[in-house]
Amino acid sequence: MINPTHETGKNRARLILIALILLFGAYWVGARYGPHPAREVEARRLGENPPGLNLKTASDRSESLTEEESINVRIYRQASPAVANILTKATEYDFFMDPVPVEGAGSGFLIDPRGYILTNFHVVAGAQTIEVILGDKSRYPREIHRRRSTQ
């Protein structure tokens, strides 16, 4: 006759083994395919060209533009002071419920002299802190004042 407690012990051991395999498998997948910090970042001075890259000067470029391209360049130069780079920070949680800092970036533009900036909602969705950088490199902490849902 088969001992029922012996069978229950075997089943429990099998369940624990399967749970461990699933747990380690999930950990491996998260470590392998999850987000990773940048391994290498390189900063260069303005005007410094990488070796082997021959860039044209501004006067050479403006001579080779079509009329439509020249108009686009002029509009960009007029509008660029109103463009704002938006940096966001938030906290998300990984598989093991550990907090993971997340940074995001997007763009928007100034819409009035009070400093209101218009951007898409996905740029600031879930953000805990928002920082705006203008074209003159000045930085300002910001907050969301108004949201409009299109749904």
Side-chain angles (χ1 to χ4, degrees), residues 60-107:
D60 291 342
R61 284 193 304 266
S62 62
E63 292 173 2
S64 62
L65 297 177
T66 66
E67 182 181 349
E68 185 177 341
E69 291 170 332
S70 296
I71 292 170
N72 289 342
V73 169
R74 190 177 72 239
I75 291 171
Y76 169 76
R77 286 186 179 146
Q78 289 173 349
S80 64
V83 174
N85 293 312
I86 302 170
L87 304 177
T88 61
K89 292 183 181 178
T91 302
E92 293 182 358
Y93 295 91
D94 65 7
F95 179 76
F96 299 106
M97 297 307 293
D98 293 326
V100 178
V102 178
E103 295 182 356
S107 64

Side-chain angles (χ1 to χ4, degrees), residues 49-147:
N49 295 336
L53 184 61
N54 185 13
L55 297 176
K56 295 179 179 179
T57 63
S59 60
D60 291 342
R61 284 193 304 266
S62 62
E63 292 173 2
S64 62
L65 297 177
T66 66
E67 182 181 349
E68 185 177 341
E69 291 170 332
S70 296
I71 292 170
N72 289 342
V73 169
R74 190 177 72 239
I75 291 171
Y76 169 76
R77 286 186 179 146
Q78 289 173 349
S80 64
V83 174
N85 293 312
I86 302 170
L87 304 177
T88 61
K89 292 183 181 178
T91 302
E92 293 182 358
Y93 295 91
D94 65 7
F95 179 76
F96 299 106
M97 297 307 293
D98 293 326
V100 178
V102 178
E103 295 182 356
S107 64
F109 57 93
L110 292 164
I111 58 173
D112 74 354
R114 295 176 294 181
Y116 283 97
I117 295 170
L118 183 65
T119 187
N120 287 321
F121 180 68
H122 71 88
V123 173
V124 295
Q128 293 166 334
T129 62
I130 301 171
E131 182 179 29
V132 173
I133 305 172
L134 299 178
D136 63 357
K137 306 291 189 248
S138 56
R139 295 173 170 257
Y140 301 96
R142 289 288 174 224
E143 58 188 41
I144 299 174
H145 281 285
R146 195 176 346 168
R147 297 179 183 151

